Amino acid sequence: MTVNWKDFEVRYANIRKNNPNIENCSFEGCLNPVDITEGMGKDTTCAFHRLLFDFWIYEVCVDPMKVIAYSKEERRRRFTEWTNKIGIEKQKEIVLEMAQSTINWMC
Ligand SMILES: [Zn+2]
């Protein structure tokens, strides 16, 4: 089974339907609802940015533990900087690839 952008839309719609007062993603300018994963509860970002953040921290950052130790603001600033650098097309490519793994994508 391949996860596609339609699945993301369905996921956002279901989250909104089941949680009418859900907050929006904390990533600046993102209007998607924060993600909810069974067993892990509510995230601070939407499914798109959750996957992108996971990729960034574990595949891009040389020392993930160091990044985790940064303040929330510092981490957010560096993450945003990186997303701006790679551009939206590359972000989408990464996120879609991440979503194919069942560890990353549970509905
Ligand atoms: Zn988002």
Side-chain angles (χ1 to χ4, degrees):
M1 199 191 79
T2 310
V3 176
N4 58 43
W5 295 120
K6 181 93 185 114
D7 296 311
F8 277 79
E9 294 306 322
V10 170
R11 190 179 182 108
Y12 299 147
N14 285 339
I15 288 173
R16 287 207 192 281
K17 195 174 72 189
N18 298 331
N19 309 273
N21 297 318
I22 195 86
E23 303 93 332
N24 280 345
C25 176
S26 62
F27 191 85
E28 204 184 326
C30 182
L31 299 176
N32 299 324
V34 297
D35 198 41
I36 297 178
T37 314
E38 206 177 316
M40 287 174 62
K42 210 159 73 173
D43 213 299
T44 57
T45 59
C46 66
F48 183 95
H49 285 109
R50 175 173 63 82
L51 293 175
L52 193 61
F53 185 82
D54 281 355
F55 180 87
W56 175 69
I57 205 158
Y58 294 112
E59 305 291 335
V60 180
C61 297
V62 181
D63 187 352
M65 291 323 281
K66 204 172 120 188
V67 179
I68 287 165
Y70 287 148
S71 70
K72 206 163 95 182
E73 290 72 25
E74 178 68 7
R75 206 158 50 229
R76 190 166 294 180
R77 190 183 66 75
R78 286 171 184 256
F79 176 60
T80 304
E81 232 171 58
W82 174 72
T83 61
N84 289 339
K85 198 176 84 187
I86 65 169
I88 187 68
E89 287 310 316
K90 185 70 190 166
Q91 291 172 38
K92 285 164 85 171
E93 194 182 300
I94 291 167
V95 168
L96 208 52
E97 204 185 306
M98 293 280 286
Q100 305 313 316
S101 161
T102 48
I103 298 170
N104 293 325
W105 188 268
M106 291 174 290
C107 275

